Structures are given as C-alpha cells and as structure tokens.
Amino acid sequence: MRAGPSQEEIRRQNLGALLRYVHVHGAMSRAELTTALGLNRSTIGALTADLASAGLVSEATPKQRGRAGRPSLVVRPESARVHAWAFSIEVDRLQAARVGLGGVVLDRRELGRPRGLVAAETAPLLAGALKEMQPAVPPGTICVGAGIAVCGMVRRDDGLVRLSPHTGWVNEPIGATLAAELGTETPVVVANVADVCAFAEHARGAAAGRDNVIYLYGDVGVGAGIIAGGRRLTGHGGYGGEVGHMVVNRNGSPCECGSRGCWETEVGEFALLHAAGRPAASGREAVLAVIDAADRGDARAQAAVRQVGDWLGFGVGNLVNIFNPEMVIFGGTMRDLYLAAAAQVRSRLNSVGLSACLEHVRLRTPQLGRDAALVGAAELAFERLLADPLEA
C-alpha cells in the first residue's frame, strides 16, 4: 500500500495552488488567500515567504487601510520579473509577445504572414521578433518557457502540427524548429489556437468561473476550444475541437480537408466572401469590408451575412446539444460575424437547440479580445511553473 503524500509534497502542492491563484486573480491580501485556499494564516505566511524568496511574488503593505489594526500584506505576482514568450501563428499574421506572470502582456510584435510560409521559414520570423523585444527585458528576469498557438491539428505529445489545411502545413515540427532557431534550452509548448484561447478566456476572461464553455475561433477555417467540467477537452491525441469539419451539408462545397460540406465551408471566410460576390478577396479586412457594406445597406452583402449567420446558428445549435455549455464565445472573425448576424444566429440556434440545453447558455465575445491567443500561449508555458514553483 502506498503511503499518503509527504509533508514536502503537500507543501509543494500548496505552493502551486497559491501561486496559481495569484497568477489568475491578481494581487490578493494574505487574509483573502487564507479564505480562498482554506489554509491557516501561518501556512499562508510561510508559503508566500517561500515564493517571495524565489522571486515569484512580492509582498507589501496595502496603500489604503480600511480598518484599525495590523494590515494584511498584499501578495502580487512578479509580472515584470517572471515571464513567458508567447507566439501565435495565424493564417494571415504572426504575433509574438512577452507575457508576465499574472497574464500581463509586457511587449509585443505583429508581422504579416504570407500564405504558404512553412515552419522552417516561420521560425526565424518569430525568433527575430523575440530578439527585437529582448533588449527591453530587465536583468535578472526569469523566463519559464515559450508557448505557440497555431491554426491546425496539433499532436499533444510533441507539438507536431499534423495538419493545417489553410496554411499548407503537414507534419510540421514548429516547436522543435523554433527551439533550434532560438538556440536555448527554453521549453517550447505548442497547441491549437482555439484551444489556447479557450484556456485563456476560462482562466481570466469572459468564461472565468464557468466550467462548460465552447470557444469558436474563425479565420479561413473554424475550430473550437472546449472546456468540459472545468477541464480542457482535447481528445486522445490532442486533435479534439475540429468542429469546422462537422459535415453539415452533404451537397455542399469541397473542403480543404478533402471532405465536402464541412461546417467551415458554410461559415468560414471563403463562404462569406463568395456569397457577397467577392471571391477574389481574402483575409480579415475583406471580411470586415463585407460586414461594413452590409451595415451600409448593400443588399448582396446583407444577404451573405444572413446566410452565413444562419449556418453559424445551425452549427452552434448542434454543439450546444452535444456539449450543453454554459457559454459559447465567438473569437477571431467569428466575433465580427456573430456581432453582425446575432439575431440570425440566435434564431437558428433556438430552432435547432434542445430547450433544456438552451436554458442557461450565453453567447459572448472574448473579453481578452485579440490578446486571447497570446495570453493562452503563455499559459501553456506557465503551467510547468504553476505545477511546481520551486522546480520549474
């Protein structure tokens, strides 16, 4: 029979729990942490002292004192001293950022991404953006690693991008390629962009406090990050959430994945632009131009938005019936489309969804906006630190 956890194991678990709480919720007094974590004051004091000694948090007397007596020290994450590098590889752009403990974006760069750029060509661009930011990093900082969000199917075990139809990637080892380009021992973690956006919004965004959430991410294609029972649902190999490849129209258009009538062929960028009579256009700006034209009364643009909005509600209705989420968040170009066609989406959702599943579901846009991918990628890198703060 295995003995229970040792005192040292319990201490490390508590250190991780305390650091995670401050990382997610921001500055907290020792008294608040005592209540939130269910530990006694002396234990909280010892844990915060250990984390402060490691340079992960700081403690200070609150500036405002609301009552008499000795004030409870406020514990803050050392955002300027402890950071992760975060990267987002999207169809039309690349993003890089330095994200501090606590989810603070400290510095960032954005680059256009020509379509068709392979991993070996992408990694030097990301590394170059990192090197541009490096001079602003204060001496003595702690880098916990790097995270990459990428549009595509990512193998959980090693971060290999198995397939990204709209970027042309097949079996691209972007994590290993970037690590080699950086020439350091910095751990690099890779995950699907919708998955990391869901992770970020669940931790500190629109879905904070919700345990069952679907984050829809759209550009050319459509994917979903799914939180079920408070945990990320990624499937056996990490390929879960490819909702854009639900077949919804057996007589529909061919899809880049090789199938026909996939949901993304009805709601993705190409579907909207083709319906609006602009098949030669591409990119987020082209999508926004159609939505703007619809707002200004362009009949064909309005019909395109209604058509795609109807299909969006149809697919969301199916997802709501399957997963029974508390919230569906529309990110990427799905945000713009949802805002333009919210009535159409809700109407179709109500006609497709089961009444019991619709009772509590809320439709929202990302609270973190376009930072969600970077904050989520950083969360991937912070996980190792938060699991064991003194060993990472």
Side-chain angles (χ1 to χ4, degrees), residues 17-377:
L18 194 155
L19 184 61
R20 186 181 296 275
Y21 201 85
V22 173
H23 170 64
V24 171
H25 298 282
M28 307 283 288
S29 71
R30 282 191 181 185
E32 290 170 320
L33 289 168
T34 298
T35 300
L37 299 178
L39 301 172
N40 61 48
R41 288 191 300 172
S42 61
T43 299
I44 291 292
L47 294 173
T48 55
D50 286 345
L51 292 174
S53 295
L56 302 175
V57 303
S58 62
E59 294 187 282
T61 303
K63 293 180 181 179
Q64 295 181 340
R65 296 176 60 174
R67 58 187 179 183
R70 185 177 179 181
S72 179
L73 293 176
V74 174
V75 183
R76 289 183 171 82
E78 280 282 9
S79 301
R81 186 170 186 271
V82 184
H83 72 268
W85 294 110
F87 303 95
S88 177
I89 302 172
E90 300 164 39
V91 175
D92 293 317
R93 68 172 181 167
L94 304 173
Q95 292 190 91
R98 180 165 62 95
V99 181
L101 190 66
V104 181
V105 178
L106 302 169
D107 199 357
R108 67 188 306 156
R109 298 291 185 276
E110 182 173 328
L111 306 167
R113 178 184 184 275
R115 296 191 180 185
L117 211 63
V118 298
E121 298 166 317
T122 303
L125 296 176
L126 296 177
L130 185 154
K131 288 168 185 173
E132 277 188 22
M133 293 184 281
Q134 193 74 57
V137 179
T141 59
I142 300 170
C143 176
V144 301
I148 305 175
V150 61
C151 296
M153 299 175 66
V154 180
R155 187 162 66 193
R156 180 172 46 225
D157 291 345
D158 57 6
L160 182 77
V161 181
R162 292 290 302 276
L163 177 66
S164 179
H166 300 293
T167 61
W169 286 15
V170 178
N171 294 329
E172 289 279 14
I174 184 60
T177 305
L178 180 59
E181 186 70 32
L182 295 175
T184 68
E185 297 300 316
T186 301
V188 179
V189 188
V190 187
N192 173 270
V193 65
D195 189 36
V196 304
C197 287
F199 191 15
E201 290 287 343
H202 180 243
R204 60 180 77 255
R210 311 276 183 169
D211 283 342
N212 297 279
V213 179
I214 296 174
Y215 184 106
L216 287 176
Y217 179 88
D219 45 34
V220 179
V222 179
I226 300 167
I227 306 292
R231 294 176 174 271
R232 294 159 62 203
L233 184 64
T234 58
H236 175 67
Y239 310 129
E242 290 295 327
V243 299
H245 299 290
M246 294 188 298
V247 176
V248 297
N249 183 357
R250 65 180 183 178
N251 297 315
S253 303
C255 181
E256 291 283 344
C257 73
S259 186
R260 177 180 289 273
C262 291
W263 190 33
E264 70 178 42
T265 67
E266 304 291 353
V267 299
E269 174 187 306
F270 293 150
L272 179 68
L273 295 173
H274 187 271
R278 307 182 187 195
S282 64
R284 184 169 184 267
E285 293 307 315
V287 170
L288 293 177
V290 172
I291 293 171
D292 180 62
D295 286 341
R296 289 185 287 105
D298 183 303
R300 188 161 186 181
Q302 289 175 336
V305 169
R306 285 196 302 270
Q307 175 183 314
V308 176
D310 188 70
W311 276 110
L312 181 56
F314 179 87
V316 170
N318 280 287
L319 294 175
V320 165
N321 289 344
I322 295 168
F323 293 103
N324 186 206
E326 300 162 78
M327 184 177 289
V328 178
I329 302 173
F330 298 87
T333 53
M334 287 292 103
R335 172 190 178 277
D336 306 302
L337 180 59
Y338 166 67
L339 291 175
Q344 195 76 32
V345 172
R346 175 57 79 174
S347 175
R348 177 58 65 187
L349 170 60
N350 287 340
S351 72
V352 171
L354 297 169
S355 58
C357 295
L358 293 174
E359 286 176 351
H360 303 292
V361 69
R362 299 290 180 265
L363 306 184
R364 295 289 186 269
T365 56
Q367 185 173 312
L368 300 175
R370 301 193 83 190
D371 282 345
L374 291 173
V375 173

